[in-house]
Amino acid sequence: MRILLSNDDGVHAAGIRALAMALKKEHQLTIAAPDSERSGASHSFTSSKFALTAKKIVLDGLEDVETYAISGTPSDCTKLGMNLMEKWPDMVITGINHGSNLGTDTLYSGTVGAAMEAVIYGIRAIAVSNEAWEPKNFDGCICGLERAMRLMQEHKELMLLNVNAPDGPRENCKGIKLTPLGFHKYPTEYDRTEADGETLYYSKKGILYSSAQDDDVDDRWVQKDYITITPLQLSFTDEHMLTKLKEGWHE
């Protein structure tokens, strides 16, 4: 299978290397990833008035994998990366992200945004994330990815999956859960860290969880050492409310 790999941590990140090493024996890979970290870029893209650059590079241990360092956002990397391939990919896989992409963080995630970009053009995609910000072992993530790829083989209508896993070997994971996204948000307060003349510096505080401890949602299961897989979709349309609003509607 032809697979395009991308991420938001940058082309030299350990996560995308682990992904490529796990897949290169069985698949034809191309890597197109940001030339520097673009975490939190969501589904942003570079306006047409700004030029993108794509530098062909060689990664140690992946000399046989065509690799591009791209100046744009993760979604830029997906779209430009697909066009740099001789044929468009059969699948796009993004990650392995350093840090989870659970619940409403999928709205901010460049990893998920890069996967969504592929789906716009009819290419199936999987976003993969490791719970740890400084991961030591991506094997649990690879286990979740393998199951996600099998799900896509079994269900041709599946277009986009979001995979999250604890840091560590697959043997340490308690299982795999198919689960909806949870809900968490960041506090509105910021800590002022320093001042430099007229410039003030602020840092955000941690996450406020809104999911209950026993809710069947992704963030709670990952906290309990499970791998989670969540099907996502592009549409933001509230179909229920649209149907309700149309009742008795007159133009």
Side-chain angles (χ1 to χ4, degrees):
M1 185 161 52
R2 292 187 311 278
I3 299 177
L4 175 66
L5 304 182
S6 192
N7 70 356
D8 69 0
D9 290 313
V11 71
H12 296 287
I16 200 167
R17 171 182 292 277
L19 194 57
M21 295 298 290
L23 294 170
K24 70 172 188 171
K25 290 183 180 179
E26 296 184 11
H27 303 282
Q28 180 184 335
L29 303 181
T30 300
I31 297 174
D35 57 10
S36 61
E37 185 175 350
R38 300 288 197 282
S39 295
S42 187
H43 202 158
S44 60
F45 71 100
T46 301
S47 172
S48 59
K49 66 180 180 179
F50 297 103
L52 291 172
T53 62
K55 181 180 180 181
K56 201 166 184 178
I57 65 171
V58 177
L59 296 177
D60 291 341
L62 296 168
E63 290 84 0
D64 54 341
V65 177
E66 194 168 75
T67 301
Y68 297 92
I70 295 174
S71 61
T73 68
S75 61
D76 287 329
C77 294
T78 296
K79 186 153 54 180
L80 181 54
M82 292 193 304
N83 283 280
L84 289 169
M85 298 173 71
E86 289 185 11
K87 293 183 179 180
W88 275 23
D90 302 303
M91 181 178 291
V92 171
I93 301 176
T94 62
I96 297 169
N97 194 64
H98 297 199
S100 60
N101 281 303
L102 297 160
T104 42
D105 272 359
T106 54
L107 296 171
Y108 307 120
S109 168
T111 304
V112 176
M116 284 187 167
E117 184 68 18
V119 177
I120 290 175
Y121 297 96
I123 307 298
R124 297 194 291 175
I126 303 173
V128 189
S129 302
N130 187 307
E131 182 185 25
W133 289 105
E134 296 181 358
K136 295 180 174 61
N137 190 313
F138 294 97
D139 188 48
C141 296
I142 298 300
C143 177
L145 171 63
E146 291 168 352
R147 178 62 67 88
M149 292 177 75
R150 289 201 299 271
L151 283 172
M152 284 196 160
Q153 290 175 345
E154 296 164 3
H155 302 275
K156 300 303 182 183
E157 69 275 20
L158 266 179
M159 290 300 295
L160 179 60
L161 291 174
N162 186 44
V163 177
N164 284 273
D167 188 33
R170 63 186 68 199
E171 293 79 12
N172 291 355
C173 296
K174 293 181 179 177
I176 301 177
K177 295 286 186 179
L178 291 173
T179 175
L181 296 179
F183 183 85
H184 58 260
K185 57 186 177 181
Y186 293 91
T188 56
E189 299 84 9
Y190 287 77
D191 291 323
R192 198 174 95 176
T193 56
E194 59 180 295
D196 179 14
E198 296 181 355
T199 304
L200 304 178
Y201 296 87
Y202 293 87
S203 62
K204 63 179 178 62
K205 297 185 178 181
I207 296 173
L208 287 175
Y209 284 96
S210 297
S211 304
Q213 185 63 37
D214 294 324
D215 282 354
D216 178 19
V217 291
D218 60 350
D219 49 13
R220 295 305 180 190
W221 284 117
V222 170
Q223 287 179 10
K224 296 175 182 179
D225 294 325
Y226 284 85
I227 298 165
T228 64
I229 302 176
T230 304
L232 304 179
Q233 63 181 9
L234 292 179
S235 176
F236 284 94
T237 302
D238 185 335
E239 299 288 353
H240 171 74
M241 283 305 304
L242 182 60
T243 300
K244 185 173 182 179
L245 291 170
K246 283 185 174 181
E247 294 175 359
W249 175 259
H250 300 286
E251 294 184 3

